[in-house]
Amino acid sequence: MMHCLFDPFINYGFMRRALVACFALSLSTTPLGSFLLLRRMSLVGDALSHAILPGVAIGYLLFGMSLIAMGVGGFIAGLVVTVLAGWVSTMTQLKDDASFAGFYLGSLALGVTLVSLRGSSVDLLHLLFGSILAVDKDAMHFIGIIASITLLILALLYRALVIEAFDAVFLRVNQARFPRLIQALFLVLVVLNLVAGFQILGTLMSVGLMMLPAVAARCWTTSLSWMLVLATTIGMFCSWCGLLWSFYTSLPAGPIIVLSTSMVFLLSVLLGQRDGIALLLRRNLRKKI
């Protein structure tokens, strides 16, 4: 049993690289997912994961499978959609979720169309769902740099992010411009990490490792610090399980990792100590008795 759990990572370099990259992503993306959850912006992360596809596609059309070109293109596309969605919600009566939905759906369609102009169905699947074989040393360095930058900025902005998540009115009253700057930097970090994650998980799946561990952790604790630790742990555990599952079944790694986190999420919803379904059922039975 122990050989099945560890041999793929000991004997195969691409499995080790994929595991290290997934662990780095778990360290940086799950805290962002936790703050998105607390700010009631969970679907914004999903919208941005789709929004980066046109930039990734343009980088692919111009330079081929160049990680730097696709990463820069995806980052620019994500920032453009973020700015446009914020501008539309400010200038009109549309709320943020409606404006993000309009732009991300158009971005997804545009990205798929651009890839179809030159690439094959295999290239499209690689961009949408990622590929474990694409994780080379350059990809690891790219992900490691983004994860390090994310953790450093989160450490510097931690108090402000907590205050904004729980008492945004207080922050707006005391610092008129500060909340906008915090939100802008936060969304930039979200876009950066989605760009980093598309190599393994693809543009459609990268948000899964960001949000699902955070939602699962929320089912077990009300403490923010423990939620961040638990979400990171769940992300790493599901990455390990998903890579093993993918290795032994030859299924795509990105969807399998996200499927693993979905299973942990469902278990957390059922058995979680914070308003889990099983706990609520026990309370209702005690009241009836």
Side-chain angles (χ1 to χ4, degrees), residues 15 23 49 57 160 237 269:
M15 289 292 289
F23 278 7
S49 71
F237 173 75
V269 170

Side-chain angles (χ1 to χ4, degrees), residues 1 8 23 34 85 94 108 112 116 122 137 174 185 232:
M1 183 64 180
F23 278 7
S34 299
L94 289 176
L108 178 60
V112 173
S116 301
V122 175
K137 290 184 178 180
N174 289 274
L185 287 174
T232 304

Side-chain angles (χ1 to χ4, degrees), residues 59 144 181 272:
L181 177 61

Side-chain angles (χ1 to χ4, degrees), residues 19 22-31 34 209-210 212-214 216-218 220-221 224-242 257 260-261 264 268:
L19 184 64
C22 287
F23 278 7
L25 282 175
S26 297
L27 282 172
S28 62
T29 60
T30 52
S34 299
L209 192 61
M210 180 179 290
L212 287 173
R218 185 65 172 169
W220 293 98
T221 181
L224 177 59
S225 57
W226 280 110
M227 178 182 172
L228 295 175
V229 172
L230 184 57
T232 304
T233 304
I234 292 173
M236 290 182 172
F237 173 75
C238 292
S239 297
W240 180 290
C241 295
I257 290 174
S260 300
T261 56
V264 174
S268 300

Side-chain angles (χ1 to χ4, degrees), residues 1-12 240 244 247-248:
M1 183 64 180
M2 297 299 291
H3 291 292
C4 294
L5 294 177
F6 295 100
D7 277 356
F9 302 107
I10 295 174
N11 297 326
Y12 298 97
W240 180 290
L244 287 175
F247 178 81
Y248 288 116

Side-chain angles (χ1 to χ4, degrees), residues 28-267:
S28 62
T29 60
T30 52
L32 293 173
S34 299
F35 282 111
L36 282 172
L37 178 64
L38 294 175
R39 293 155 62 107
R40 295 179 176 88
M41 297 174 62
S42 301
L43 293 180
V44 172
D46 182 56
L48 290 176
S49 71
H50 295 75
I52 68 174
L53 184 57
V56 173
I58 291 173
Y60 165 74
L61 290 175
L62 295 177
F63 301 97
M65 286 294 179
S66 170
L67 175 62
I68 296 177
M70 292 189 295
V72 172
F75 178 68
I76 294 174
L79 288 184
V80 169
V81 170
T82 301
V83 172
L84 288 177
W87 179 73
V88 168
S89 61
T90 302
M91 299 298 293
T92 67
Q93 295 185 356
L94 289 176
K95 294 185 178 179
D96 289 341
D97 57 346
S99 57
F100 267 106
F103 281 106
Y104 97 75
L105 290 172
S107 298
L108 178 60
L110 177 60
V112 173
T113 303
L114 289 174
V115 176
S116 301
L117 291 176
R118 174 180 163 184
S120 64
S121 59
V122 175
D123 297 325
L124 180 60
L125 288 175
H126 168 71
L127 294 179
L128 292 178
F129 301 108
S131 173
I132 191 172
L133 297 177
V135 184
D136 53 13
K137 290 184 178 180
D138 292 335
M140 288 180 61
H141 294 158
F142 182 71
I143 293 171
I145 291 171
I146 290 180
S148 301
I149 292 173
T150 301
L151 291 175
L152 177 61
I153 295 178
L154 284 178
L156 295 174
L157 301 180
Y158 180 78
R159 173 171 287 186
L161 288 172
V162 172
I163 294 174
E164 188 185 19
F166 291 102
D167 194 356
V169 176
F170 172 81
L171 198 61
R172 293 191 188 100
V173 170
N174 289 274
Q175 296 286 345
R177 298 181 180 178
F178 197 54
R180 293 183 181 179
L181 177 61
I182 293 296
Q183 184 171 6
L185 287 174
F186 179 74
L187 290 177
V188 168
L189 290 179
V190 172
V191 173
L192 270 176
N193 281 268
L194 291 173
V195 169
F198 89 87
Q199 273 291 305
I200 299 176
L201 305 174
T203 56
L204 294 185
M205 297 284 109
S206 56
V207 72
L209 192 61
M210 180 179 290
M211 293 308 309
L212 287 173
V215 178
R218 185 65 172 169
C219 296
W220 293 98
T221 181
T222 57
S223 169
L224 177 59
S225 57
W226 280 110
M227 178 182 172
L228 295 175
V229 172
L230 184 57
T232 304
T233 304
I234 292 173
M236 290 182 172
F237 173 75
C238 292
S239 297
W240 180 290
C241 295
L243 288 173
L244 287 175
W245 189 355
S246 172
F247 178 81
Y248 288 116
T249 60
S250 299
L251 294 172
I256 292 299
I257 290 174
V258 176
L259 183 59
S260 300
T261 56
S262 298
M263 294 171 66
V264 174
F265 160 72
L266 289 175
L267 287 174

